[in-house]
Short mmCIF file of all heavy atoms in Angstrom, two decimals:
data_model
loop_
_atom_site.label_atom_id
_atom_site.label_comp_id
_atom_site.label_asym_id
_atom_site.label_seq_id
_atom_site.Cartn_x
_atom_site.Cartn_y
_atom_site.Cartn_z
N HIS A 181 77.88 208.28 -99.65
CA HIS A 181 79.46 208.21 -99.68
C HIS A 181 79.87 207.36 -98.51
O HIS A 181 79.40 207.45 -97.39
CB HIS A 181 80.23 209.42 -99.66
CG HIS A 181 80.06 210.13 -101.03
ND1 HIS A 181 80.90 209.85 -102.13
CD2 HIS A 181 79.24 211.19 -101.49
CE1 HIS A 181 80.53 210.49 -103.19
NE2 HIS A 181 79.48 211.25 -102.84
N GLY A 182 80.85 206.49 -98.70
CA GLY A 182 81.43 205.87 -97.54
C GLY A 182 80.94 204.39 -97.21
O GLY A 182 81.50 203.79 -96.53
N HIS A 183 79.97 204.03 -97.69
CA HIS A 183 79.24 202.81 -97.41
C HIS A 183 79.51 201.79 -98.45
O HIS A 183 80.07 200.81 -98.20
CB HIS A 183 77.81 202.94 -97.11
CG HIS A 183 77.52 203.60 -95.93
ND1 HIS A 183 77.02 205.07 -96.03
CD2 HIS A 183 77.63 203.39 -94.60
CE1 HIS A 183 76.98 205.45 -94.72
NE2 HIS A 183 77.20 204.54 -93.99
N ASP A 184 79.13 202.06 -99.66
CA ASP A 184 79.27 201.12 -100.83
C ASP A 184 80.83 201.26 -101.18
O ASP A 184 81.29 202.22 -101.58
CB ASP A 184 78.51 201.56 -101.94
CG ASP A 184 78.55 200.57 -103.00
OD1 ASP A 184 79.28 199.65 -102.98
OD2 ASP A 184 77.85 200.87 -104.01
N HIS A 185 81.40 199.98 -101.21
CA HIS A 185 82.77 200.02 -101.62
C HIS A 185 83.01 199.93 -103.04
O HIS A 185 84.14 199.88 -103.68
CB HIS A 185 83.61 198.88 -101.01
CG HIS A 185 84.24 199.29 -99.74
ND1 HIS A 185 85.34 198.62 -99.27
CD2 HIS A 185 83.86 200.19 -98.86
CE1 HIS A 185 85.78 199.27 -98.13
NE2 HIS A 185 84.90 200.24 -97.87
N GLY A 186 81.98 199.92 -103.93
CA GLY A 186 82.05 200.09 -105.27
C GLY A 186 82.29 198.77 -105.95
O GLY A 186 82.19 198.85 -107.23
N HIS A 187 82.85 197.82 -105.39
CA HIS A 187 83.11 196.59 -105.99
C HIS A 187 81.92 195.84 -106.54
O HIS A 187 81.96 195.22 -107.55
CB HIS A 187 83.76 195.51 -105.07
CG HIS A 187 85.24 195.94 -104.73
ND1 HIS A 187 85.47 197.20 -104.26
CD2 HIS A 187 86.38 195.31 -104.97
CE1 HIS A 187 86.84 197.31 -104.10
NE2 HIS A 187 87.38 196.12 -104.45
N GLY A 188 80.91 195.80 -105.80
CA GLY A 188 79.71 195.17 -106.11
C GLY A 188 79.84 193.68 -105.74
O GLY A 188 78.90 192.86 -106.24
N HIS A 189 80.80 193.18 -105.10
CA HIS A 189 80.93 191.78 -104.81
C HIS A 189 79.67 191.10 -104.09
O HIS A 189 79.33 190.02 -104.35
CB HIS A 189 82.12 191.54 -103.89
CG HIS A 189 83.43 191.48 -104.57
ND1 HIS A 189 83.63 190.92 -105.73
CD2 HIS A 189 84.57 192.25 -104.21
CE1 HIS A 189 84.86 191.16 -106.10
NE2 HIS A 189 85.41 191.95 -105.32
N ASP A 190 79.07 191.98 -103.20
CA ASP A 190 77.97 191.45 -102.46
C ASP A 190 76.53 191.95 -102.92
O ASP A 190 75.69 191.82 -102.20
CB ASP A 190 78.13 191.80 -101.02
CG ASP A 190 79.50 191.30 -100.43
OD1 ASP A 190 80.01 190.13 -100.79
OD2 ASP A 190 80.17 192.07 -99.88
N HIS A 191 76.64 192.59 -104.10
CA HIS A 191 75.32 193.14 -104.54
C HIS A 191 74.97 192.42 -105.77
O HIS A 191 75.58 191.91 -106.56
CB HIS A 191 75.62 194.60 -104.84
CG HIS A 191 76.24 195.41 -103.83
ND1 HIS A 191 75.50 195.84 -102.61
CD2 HIS A 191 77.46 195.91 -103.66
CE1 HIS A 191 76.30 196.43 -101.91
NE2 HIS A 191 77.56 196.56 -102.49
N GLY A 192 73.65 192.35 -105.94
CA GLY A 192 73.09 192.11 -107.29
C GLY A 192 73.15 193.33 -108.08
O GLY A 192 73.35 194.46 -107.57
N ALA A 193 73.03 193.14 -109.44
CA ALA A 193 73.17 194.29 -110.29
C ALA A 193 72.13 195.38 -110.06
O ALA A 193 72.37 196.58 -110.21
CB ALA A 193 73.01 193.79 -111.77
N GLU A 194 71.06 194.92 -109.61
CA GLU A 194 69.85 195.96 -109.38
C GLU A 194 70.13 196.90 -108.32
O GLU A 194 69.70 198.10 -108.37
CB GLU A 194 68.47 195.25 -109.05
CG GLU A 194 68.01 194.32 -110.05
CD GLU A 194 68.70 193.02 -110.01
OE1 GLU A 194 69.35 192.61 -109.04
OE2 GLU A 194 68.60 192.33 -111.19
N SER A 195 71.08 196.48 -107.40
CA SER A 195 71.35 197.44 -106.18
C SER A 195 72.41 198.49 -106.66
O SER A 195 72.77 199.32 -105.72
CB SER A 195 71.60 196.64 -104.99
OG SER A 195 72.98 196.02 -105.20
N ILE A 196 73.07 198.35 -107.72
CA ILE A 196 74.20 199.17 -108.03
C ILE A 196 73.71 200.46 -108.66
O ILE A 196 72.96 200.58 -109.74
CB ILE A 196 75.20 198.54 -108.91
CG1 ILE A 196 75.72 197.21 -108.32
CG2 ILE A 196 76.33 199.43 -109.31
CD1 ILE A 196 76.53 196.38 -109.23
N ASN A 197 74.01 201.62 -108.07
CA ASN A 197 73.87 202.85 -108.61
C ASN A 197 74.96 203.72 -108.56
O ASN A 197 75.60 204.13 -107.63
CB ASN A 197 72.70 203.62 -107.88
CG ASN A 197 71.27 203.12 -108.24
OD1 ASN A 197 70.90 203.01 -109.30
ND2 ASN A 197 70.61 202.63 -107.08
N GLY A 198 75.58 203.92 -109.81
CA GLY A 198 76.79 204.65 -109.90
C GLY A 198 77.94 203.59 -110.53
O GLY A 198 77.46 202.70 -111.18
N GLU A 199 79.18 204.07 -110.25
CA GLU A 199 80.19 203.35 -110.94
C GLU A 199 80.80 202.26 -110.21
O GLU A 199 81.07 202.51 -108.98
CB GLU A 199 81.34 204.36 -111.41
CG GLU A 199 81.10 205.22 -112.46
CD GLU A 199 82.27 206.19 -112.91
OE1 GLU A 199 82.97 206.43 -112.05
OE2 GLU A 199 82.17 206.60 -114.02
N VAL A 200 81.01 201.08 -110.86
CA VAL A 200 81.66 200.02 -110.14
C VAL A 200 82.79 199.56 -111.10
O VAL A 200 82.69 199.60 -112.26
CB VAL A 200 80.81 198.77 -109.93
CG1 VAL A 200 79.90 199.09 -108.58
CG2 VAL A 200 79.96 198.37 -111.12
N GLY A 201 83.90 199.16 -110.47
CA GLY A 201 85.09 199.00 -111.44
C GLY A 201 85.67 197.60 -111.11
O GLY A 201 85.60 197.22 -109.79
N GLU A 202 86.26 196.81 -112.01
CA GLU A 202 86.98 195.64 -111.61
C GLU A 202 88.10 195.36 -112.65
O GLU A 202 87.98 195.84 -113.81
CB GLU A 202 86.05 194.52 -111.56
CG GLU A 202 86.48 193.17 -110.71
CD GLU A 202 86.96 193.43 -109.39
OE1 GLU A 202 86.13 193.65 -108.52
OE2 GLU A 202 88.22 193.51 -109.22
N TYR A 203 89.14 194.54 -112.19
CA TYR A 203 90.14 194.20 -113.10
C TYR A 203 90.38 192.73 -113.05
O TYR A 203 90.32 192.21 -112.00
CB TYR A 203 91.36 195.02 -112.56
CG TYR A 203 92.80 194.74 -113.31
CD1 TYR A 203 92.84 194.92 -114.64
CD2 TYR A 203 93.85 194.38 -112.53
CE1 TYR A 203 94.06 194.70 -115.38
CE2 TYR A 203 95.19 194.14 -113.13
CZ TYR A 203 95.21 194.29 -114.59
OH TYR A 203 96.40 194.11 -115.23
N ALA A 204 90.67 192.12 -114.15
CA ALA A 204 90.88 190.58 -114.16
C ALA A 204 92.11 190.45 -115.03
O ALA A 204 92.31 191.10 -115.96
CB ALA A 204 89.71 189.79 -114.72
N LYS A 205 93.01 189.67 -114.57
CA LYS A 205 94.30 189.47 -115.34
C LYS A 205 94.81 188.03 -115.34
O LYS A 205 94.39 187.29 -114.25
CB LYS A 205 95.27 190.31 -114.83
CG LYS A 205 95.76 190.14 -113.40
CD LYS A 205 96.96 190.96 -112.94
CE LYS A 205 97.28 190.93 -111.40
NZ LYS A 205 98.39 191.80 -111.03
N MET A 206 95.55 187.59 -116.31
CA MET A 206 96.20 186.39 -116.29
C MET A 206 97.70 186.78 -116.12
O MET A 206 98.10 187.56 -116.75
CB MET A 206 95.98 185.68 -117.55
CG MET A 206 96.52 184.25 -117.52
SD MET A 206 96.76 183.63 -119.09
CE MET A 206 98.50 183.86 -119.27
N SER A 207 98.35 186.17 -114.89
CA SER A 207 99.63 186.69 -114.68
C SER A 207 100.76 185.55 -114.91
O SER A 207 100.32 184.37 -114.94
CB SER A 207 99.86 187.13 -113.17
OG SER A 207 99.09 188.16 -112.92
N HIS A 208 101.93 185.98 -115.25
CA HIS A 208 102.96 184.89 -115.27
C HIS A 208 103.09 184.27 -113.88
O HIS A 208 103.15 185.04 -112.87
CB HIS A 208 104.17 185.46 -115.67
CG HIS A 208 105.49 184.63 -115.97
ND1 HIS A 208 106.09 184.00 -115.03
CD2 HIS A 208 105.81 184.18 -117.01
CE1 HIS A 208 107.00 183.11 -115.55
NE2 HIS A 208 106.88 183.20 -116.87
N PRO A 209 103.04 182.95 -113.84
CA PRO A 209 103.11 182.31 -112.52
C PRO A 209 104.32 182.59 -111.62
O PRO A 209 104.17 182.44 -110.38
CB PRO A 209 103.02 180.79 -112.77
CG PRO A 209 103.42 180.61 -114.25
CD PRO A 209 103.17 181.96 -114.89
N ALA A 210 105.39 182.88 -112.11
CA ALA A 210 106.59 183.15 -111.24
C ALA A 210 106.68 184.54 -110.89
O ALA A 210 106.97 184.90 -109.73
CB ALA A 210 107.90 182.66 -111.98
N SER A 211 106.69 185.54 -111.90
CA SER A 211 106.86 186.82 -111.62
C SER A 211 105.68 187.66 -111.27
O SER A 211 105.77 188.71 -110.79
CB SER A 211 107.52 187.50 -112.83
OG SER A 211 106.56 187.57 -113.82
N PHE A 212 104.54 187.09 -111.49
CA PHE A 212 103.20 187.65 -111.33
C PHE A 212 102.99 188.86 -112.20
O PHE A 212 101.97 189.46 -112.04
CB PHE A 212 103.03 188.13 -109.74
CG PHE A 212 103.18 186.86 -108.88
CD1 PHE A 212 104.11 186.72 -107.90
CD2 PHE A 212 102.06 185.94 -108.86
CE1 PHE A 212 104.30 185.76 -107.10
CE2 PHE A 212 102.16 184.82 -108.05
CZ PHE A 212 103.42 184.84 -107.19
N TYR A 213 103.85 189.06 -113.23
CA TYR A 213 103.64 190.10 -114.04
C TYR A 213 102.50 189.84 -114.94
O TYR A 213 102.33 188.65 -115.37
CB TYR A 213 104.94 190.33 -115.01
CG TYR A 213 104.86 191.78 -115.40
CD1 TYR A 213 105.62 192.85 -114.51
CD2 TYR A 213 104.32 192.25 -116.52
CE1 TYR A 213 105.52 194.15 -114.83
CE2 TYR A 213 104.32 193.51 -116.82
CZ TYR A 213 104.83 194.60 -115.96
OH TYR A 213 104.81 195.84 -116.31
N PRO A 214 101.57 190.79 -115.28
CA PRO A 214 100.38 190.52 -115.94
C PRO A 214 100.95 190.03 -117.43
O PRO A 214 101.82 190.64 -117.94
CB PRO A 214 99.56 191.65 -116.03
CG PRO A 214 100.56 192.77 -115.52
CD PRO A 214 101.53 192.20 -114.74
N VAL A 215 100.18 189.12 -118.02
CA VAL A 215 100.24 188.75 -119.42
C VAL A 215 99.18 189.54 -120.24
O VAL A 215 99.41 190.14 -121.20
CB VAL A 215 100.34 187.29 -119.62
CG1 VAL A 215 100.38 186.84 -121.05
CG2 VAL A 215 101.39 186.59 -118.79
N ILE A 216 97.96 189.30 -119.70
CA ILE A 216 96.82 189.99 -120.34
C ILE A 216 96.08 190.54 -119.06
O ILE A 216 95.76 189.84 -118.24
CB ILE A 216 95.85 188.85 -121.02
CG1 ILE A 216 96.71 188.27 -122.20
CG2 ILE A 216 94.56 189.56 -121.51
CD1 ILE A 216 96.18 187.03 -122.54
N GLY A 217 95.53 191.77 -119.32
CA GLY A 217 94.57 192.32 -118.34
C GLY A 217 93.39 192.97 -118.97
O GLY A 217 93.40 193.50 -119.93
N GLY A 218 92.23 192.78 -118.22
CA GLY A 218 91.05 193.41 -118.77
C GLY A 218 90.44 194.26 -117.47
O GLY A 218 90.35 193.70 -116.53
N ALA A 219 90.22 195.55 -117.76
CA ALA A 219 89.60 196.43 -116.79
C ALA A 219 88.24 197.05 -117.25
O ALA A 219 88.10 197.37 -118.35
CB ALA A 219 90.58 197.44 -116.42
N VAL A 220 87.33 197.17 -116.41
CA VAL A 220 85.88 197.72 -116.70
C VAL A 220 85.56 198.63 -115.58
O VAL A 220 85.84 198.47 -114.42
CB VAL A 220 84.81 196.66 -116.89
CG1 VAL A 220 85.30 195.63 -117.92
CG2 VAL A 220 84.55 195.89 -115.62
N VAL A 221 84.84 199.68 -116.02
CA VAL A 221 84.10 200.57 -115.00
C VAL A 221 82.75 200.60 -115.70
O VAL A 221 82.58 201.13 -116.81
CB VAL A 221 84.76 202.00 -114.87
CG1 VAL A 221 83.96 202.83 -114.10
CG2 VAL A 221 86.25 201.80 -114.30
N ILE A 222 81.72 200.16 -114.96
CA ILE A 222 80.44 200.31 -115.42
C ILE A 222 79.64 201.23 -114.60
O ILE A 222 79.62 201.21 -113.32
CB ILE A 222 79.83 198.68 -115.30
CG1 ILE A 222 80.44 197.83 -116.19
CG2 ILE A 222 78.28 198.87 -115.63
CD1 ILE A 222 80.10 196.37 -115.95
N ASN A 223 78.91 202.20 -115.24
CA ASN A 223 78.13 203.02 -114.56
C ASN A 223 76.63 202.48 -114.61
O ASN A 223 76.11 202.40 -115.78
CB ASN A 223 78.25 204.44 -115.31
CG ASN A 223 77.30 205.64 -114.58
OD1 ASN A 223 76.87 205.25 -113.35
ND2 ASN A 223 77.31 206.81 -115.05
N ALA A 224 76.11 202.19 -113.50
CA ALA A 224 74.94 201.30 -113.53
C ALA A 224 73.74 202.08 -112.89
O ALA A 224 73.95 202.97 -111.99
CB ALA A 224 75.04 200.02 -112.91
N GLU A 225 72.53 201.90 -113.21
CA GLU A 225 71.28 202.49 -112.68
C GLU A 225 70.35 201.47 -112.80
O GLU A 225 69.88 201.15 -113.84
CB GLU A 225 70.94 203.79 -113.25
CG GLU A 225 70.40 204.80 -112.32
CD GLU A 225 70.07 206.00 -113.08
OE1 GLU A 225 71.00 206.74 -113.50
OE2 GLU A 225 68.91 206.45 -113.17
N GLY A 226 69.70 200.94 -111.65
CA GLY A 226 68.57 200.10 -111.61
C GLY A 226 68.84 198.81 -112.49
O GLY A 226 67.97 198.41 -113.30
N GLY A 227 69.99 198.28 -112.30
CA GLY A 227 70.23 197.04 -113.10
C GLY A 227 70.45 197.15 -114.58
O GLY A 227 70.66 196.19 -115.36
N ARG A 228 70.66 198.35 -115.01
CA ARG A 228 70.98 198.58 -116.38
C ARG A 228 72.43 199.40 -116.46
O ARG A 228 72.66 200.20 -115.59
CB ARG A 228 69.79 199.51 -116.96
CG ARG A 228 69.79 199.56 -118.36
CD ARG A 228 68.43 200.10 -118.84
NE ARG A 228 67.48 199.05 -118.79
CZ ARG A 228 66.97 198.28 -119.73
NH1 ARG A 228 67.80 198.12 -120.78
NH2 ARG A 228 65.98 197.35 -119.53
N CYS A 229 73.09 199.13 -117.62
CA CYS A 229 74.30 199.88 -117.80
C CYS A 229 74.04 201.19 -118.46
O CYS A 229 73.48 201.32 -119.55
CB CYS A 229 75.35 198.99 -118.70
SG CYS A 229 76.70 200.01 -119.32
N VAL A 230 74.34 202.34 -117.83
CA VAL A 230 74.22 203.69 -118.42
C VAL A 230 75.20 203.89 -119.45
O VAL A 230 75.18 204.26 -120.49
CB VAL A 230 74.12 204.85 -117.32
CG1 VAL A 230 73.99 206.19 -118.03
CG2 VAL A 230 73.08 204.45 -116.22
N SER A 231 76.57 203.59 -118.89
CA SER A 231 77.61 203.70 -119.83
C SER A 231 78.71 202.87 -119.19
O SER A 231 78.69 202.52 -118.14
CB SER A 231 78.19 205.15 -119.86
OG SER A 231 78.49 205.66 -118.59
N ALA A 232 79.80 202.68 -119.97
CA ALA A 232 80.85 201.70 -119.55
C ALA A 232 82.25 202.24 -120.18
O ALA A 232 82.22 202.70 -121.21
CB ALA A 232 80.71 200.23 -119.91
N ARG A 233 83.27 201.90 -119.44
CA ARG A 233 84.73 202.12 -119.91
C ARG A 233 85.40 200.67 -119.89
O ARG A 233 85.25 200.10 -118.79
CB ARG A 233 85.48 203.15 -119.24
CG ARG A 233 84.75 204.63 -119.38
CD ARG A 233 85.86 205.71 -118.86
NE ARG A 233 86.20 205.49 -117.48
CZ ARG A 233 85.52 205.86 -116.41
NH1 ARG A 233 84.45 206.51 -116.57
NH2 ARG A 233 86.04 205.64 -115.26
N VAL A 234 86.04 200.40 -120.82
CA VAL A 234 86.67 199.09 -120.92
C VAL A 234 88.15 199.28 -121.53
O VAL A 234 88.29 199.95 -122.40
CB VAL A 234 85.94 198.02 -121.81
CG1 VAL A 234 86.57 196.76 -121.81
CG2 VAL A 234 84.43 197.82 -121.28
N ALA A 235 89.11 198.68 -120.86
CA ALA A 235 90.56 198.78 -121.37
C ALA A 235 91.11 197.32 -121.31
O ALA A 235 90.79 196.62 -120.36
CB ALA A 235 91.27 199.77 -120.57
#
Side-chain angles (χ1 to χ4, degrees):
Chain A
H181 287 278
H183 293 104
D184 182 358
H185 265 212
H187 284 57
H189 282 313
D190 304 315
H191 309 285
E194 297 76 21
S195 68
I196 301 169
N197 282 304
E199 287 183 334
V200 286
E202 196 57 76
Y203 177 55
K205 63 177 167 177
M206 196 198 92
S207 297
H208 189 283
S211 69
F212 301 111
Y213 208 87
V215 177
I216 298 159
V220 302
V221 174
I222 295 172
N223 185 7
E225 211 179 295
R228 199 167 280 279
C229 171
V230 178
S231 61
R233 296 192 302 275
V234 177

